[in-house]
Amino acid sequence: MHLLVKKRCTLKEHLAFNASAQAYGYDVRKLEAQTGKVIDTAATIISTVMKPFGFTKEMIGLTGTCALEHFTSTIAEELLSNPDIQAMFQDETMYHLWMWHAVEENEHKAVAFDVYEAMYGQGVKAYFMRSLALVIAMGLIFITQSYFTATLLKTDGKLTWRDTKYMLKFMYGYKGFMTRQIPTLLAFLRPNFHPNDDDTTELLNKWRAELGFNPH
């Protein structure tokens, strides 16, 4: 029940964020629709290719969810842990919204993974599929993220070589936002990996207190 309530709150906050972004000229609905199309297309292609080898569409869909949840929880942990990133927020409402969402992402980071292991076990087949899912997910995220970043920069009138170079350095340079997280992301490839190996309990408790909400 708690998870359902949190998901309902998440949907409400997503709608509020989308409305705010739309007001500033960012067509996030279009970007979300494009994201959904990319995910659906990838799932269909992978399911078709892997079906002869005994991998069902349901298994592929669930393991894709596991990979994406690992990515989002990793990003969320970085957001909660990095004061430099937090200092970039210029709007107090958006700051609290993103921090709240980051906490929520970490709270349920193991749910899909636990369901996957309960359904498909920890054998070679299950491990192969989740490893493949991470590799594919990372590739798709890099492509879509790059496209969306370019789209947003264009909306701001900043799609210039100077701003693009800054963004690439910020994201993928030495100790960049994404490059710092590579070890955590790749931990997913360990045969005995579990999302809760990275214990964020203390971090989440700190932010729950700061944001003023009770997880129960």
Side-chain angles (χ1 to χ4, degrees):
M1 179 63 72
H2 169 62
L3 182 60
L4 292 176
V5 172
K6 292 300 291 291
K7 280 301 181 183
R8 180 175 293 180
C9 291
T10 301
L11 175 60
K12 180 180 178 181
E13 297 302 334
H14 275 172
L15 293 174
F17 172 78
N18 287 355
S20 176
Q22 207 79 23
Y24 282 95
Y26 301 112
D27 194 354
V28 290
R29 293 190 185 93
K30 181 179 179 181
L31 297 180
E32 283 188 341
Q34 291 173 336
T35 301
K37 187 176 293 185
V38 168
I39 292 173
D40 291 343
T41 301
T44 299
I45 293 173
I46 296 167
S47 296
T48 301
V49 172
M50 300 302 291
K51 185 177 180 179
F53 301 98
F55 294 93
T56 65
K57 184 176 182 179
E58 291 74 20
M59 182 182 190
I60 292 169
L62 183 54
T63 193
T65 300
C66 292
L68 292 174
E69 287 288 309
H70 178 59
F71 176 82
T72 54
S73 65
T74 300
I75 295 292
E77 184 180 354
E78 175 71 11
L79 182 57
L80 294 171
S81 306
N82 193 326
D84 293 333
I85 301 297
Q86 296 160 20
M88 292 182 177
F89 285 91
Q90 298 179 355
D91 183 277
E92 192 71 15
T93 300
M94 287 296 104
Y95 169 77
H96 283 92
L97 171 61
W98 277 99
M99 294 303 114
W100 178 87
H101 189 50
V103 170
E104 189 267 342
E105 284 294 337
N106 261 268
E107 284 182 338
H108 65 71
K109 65 181 180 179
V111 174
F113 192 92
D114 287 341
V115 172
Y116 180 76
E117 286 202 334
M119 292 182 66
Y120 303 109
Q122 300 176 329
V124 174
K125 183 178 179 179
Y127 169 70
F128 171 80
M129 192 63 246
R130 72 172 172 85
S131 298
L132 179 63
L134 181 73
V135 173
I136 294 173
M138 293 302 97
L140 291 175
I141 287 170
F142 174 77
I143 293 170
T144 54
Q145 180 178 265
S146 298
Y147 169 71
F148 292 161
T149 299
T151 300
L152 296 175
L153 285 173
K154 184 178 180 180
T155 300
D156 285 342
K158 294 184 177 181
L159 190 56
T160 64
W161 170 241
R162 179 182 177 183
D163 289 309
T164 301
K165 185 170 68 171
Y166 169 80
M167 184 60 67
L168 289 172
K169 182 179 179 181
F170 173 78
M171 294 294 289
Y172 304 109
Y174 178 65
K175 293 187 178 180
F177 182 76
M178 289 304 303
T179 49
R180 282 196 303 270
Q181 299 172 70
I182 289 175
T184 304
L185 290 171
L186 293 182
F188 192 84
L189 299 178
R190 293 200 322 264
N192 62 343
F193 168 82
H194 188 276
N196 289 335
D197 292 340
D198 181 19
D199 187 0
T200 54
T201 303
E202 186 175 338
L203 180 66
L204 295 183
N205 286 338
K206 168 183 174 289
W207 277 99
R208 288 189 190 107
E210 185 162 331
L211 295 171
F213 67 84
N214 190 310
H216 305 297

